[in-house]
Amino acid sequence: MNLASETRNDVVIIYVKEERLDAHNSTELKSAVQKLFEDGKKNVLVDLKDVRFIDSSGLGALVSGFKNAISHQGNLKLSSLQSQVKSMFELTRLHRVFEIFPSTVEAVENFQS
Amino acid sequence: MQGNTIEVDIKVPNKTRYLSLIGKIGEDIARELERFSGDKEVLAYHLNLVLTEAMVNAIKHAGPKEPEKLVRIVISLHRDDLTIRVYDDGQGFDINAIPAPNFEELEDRGRGIFLIRTLMDSVAYRKSCKENMLEMKKKLA
């Protein structure tokens, strides 16, 4: 899976550089996020700008990351969801669970506030 | 698509790397529909999703110890009736015993069948000694 990352103001941003986040590749994202929290990072932002398609496994990987954040007293937020990806969060009520921001800039600012 | 009647019969190895290929076939069918008056891009996503979820399901039930097996998927479109059948020859499962997700509990899994049921008009899983079939139907009028 193609993941890129950068750190901005103590926030680790993971860019999912894939068109699809599905049962084929979601385990890798899950492991990458898990490792960040295990390594002591507190603030993780997953940017889904390039993701055009997400399935239940992709949603599950993000839920797993969110639960990991809680268990490590950290935070996991999401940014830059395409409209159809966002509709899957709404369908599964996960938009009530995740903090979702239109851009990485707005998300990073929210981590600071 | 003239007459809106097609049947696509596909067999692919039961590996997740083929999810994208199968999903794209669903998307292409949605975009080719002449008579469909709704949002074709939304329908394209939904068909991609139900095909992806159903194929993952078939891979799980086909048994991971048999990587050389094939998943068979038949997509039929006759006028406004779309039927997708996904076959597996594993142990099978009782689709009616699968609960809807508990939205108050944050589970990693358990949303696949819910999504299929939400996006399709009817869903059935039939077990038989030879092969099992997940059948999903949707009216595209």
Side-chain angles (χ1 to χ4, degrees):
Chain A
M1 165 175 245
N2 194 356
L3 298 174
S5 72
E6 66 166 318
T7 303
R8 240 191 264 172
N9 297 345
D10 262 350
V11 178
V12 181
I13 309 173
I14 297 182
Y15 297 93
V16 181
K17 312 287 270 183
E18 299 279 348
E19 190 182 296
R20 289 173 64 96
L21 180 54
D22 64 16
H24 185 57
N25 58 14
S26 58
T27 311
E28 289 174 60
L29 175 65
K30 184 175 162 176
S31 306
V33 170
Q34 188 176 0
K35 187 169 186 314
L36 288 174
F37 288 115
E38 282 170 0
D39 288 349
K41 308 288 184 208
K42 293 293 176 200
N43 298 324
V44 175
L45 172 64
V46 180
D47 184 276
L48 297 172
K49 180 171 59 108
D50 293 335
V51 177
R52 192 177 68 80
F53 177 88
I54 191 166
D55 74 350
S56 64
S57 302
L59 293 169
L62 293 168
V63 167
S64 163
F66 183 83
K67 293 198 298 192
N68 235 298
I70 293 171
S71 67
H72 289 88
Q73 288 81 49
N75 263 311
L76 182 134
K77 304 183 186 198
L78 306 175
S79 65
S80 318
L81 272 61
Q82 294 192 23
S83 62
Q84 299 225 54
V85 169
K86 195 167 186 188
S87 72
M88 289 302 116
F89 282 80
E90 289 162 358
L91 210 55
T92 52
R93 320 290 198 271
L94 289 172
H95 64 302
R96 297 181 195 160
V97 172
F98 290 97
E99 286 185 80
I100 299 173
F101 298 90
S103 68
T104 54
V105 172
E106 286 158 273
V108 169
E109 278 173 6
N110 183 273
F111 273 107
Q112 315 306 320
S113 60
Chain B
M1 198 176 285
Q2 281 303 319
N4 270 7
T5 295
I6 56 169
E7 179 154 299
V8 187
D9 194 329
I10 320 154
K11 285 178 192 162
V12 288
N14 66 340
K15 291 182 165 59
T16 54
R17 60 176 293 196
Y18 297 104
L19 292 173
S20 161
L21 172 74
I22 296 302
K24 275 180 191 150
I25 293 170
E27 290 202 338
D28 286 348
I29 288 174
R31 292 191 182 114
E32 290 296 325
L33 294 172
E34 276 183 355
R35 292 151 52 98
F36 183 67
S37 59
D39 187 329
K40 284 185 189 169
E41 284 308 305
V42 170
L43 179 66
Y45 189 105
H46 290 174
L47 295 187
N48 186 341
L49 186 68
V50 299
L51 282 161
T52 298
E53 300 290 350
M55 183 165 162
V56 170
N57 201 54
I59 291 170
K60 276 184 202 160
H61 292 281
K65 286 177 187 159
E66 299 182 77
E68 301 312 317
K69 283 201 171 176
L70 298 170
V71 174
R72 179 171 175 229
I73 296 168
V74 180
I75 307 170
S76 316
L77 180 71
H78 179 64
R79 299 184 69 83
D80 300 325
D81 295 313
L82 174 80
T83 305
I84 299 173
R85 295 186 179 93
V86 180
Y87 297 85
D88 73 81
D89 54 4
Q91 291 287 309
F93 66 102
D94 179 3
I95 197 165
N96 295 317
I98 296 176
N102 179 349
F103 295 115
E104 306 308 315
E105 294 278 328
L106 207 46
E107 300 289 345
D108 296 3
R109 302 158 59 95
R111 295 179 183 84
I113 295 292
F114 166 76
L115 286 170
I116 291 175
R117 280 189 162 134
T118 304
L119 300 178
M120 301 299 278
D121 294 330
S122 76
V123 183
Y125 187 83
R126 295 193 181 92
K127 280 167 75 165
S128 80
C129 53
K130 194 162 165 264
E131 60 185 357
N132 312 307
M133 176 185 69
L134 178 67
E135 184 178 72
M136 307 174 281
K137 293 186 174 191
K138 191 173 178 74
K139 203 140 193 85
L140 302 179

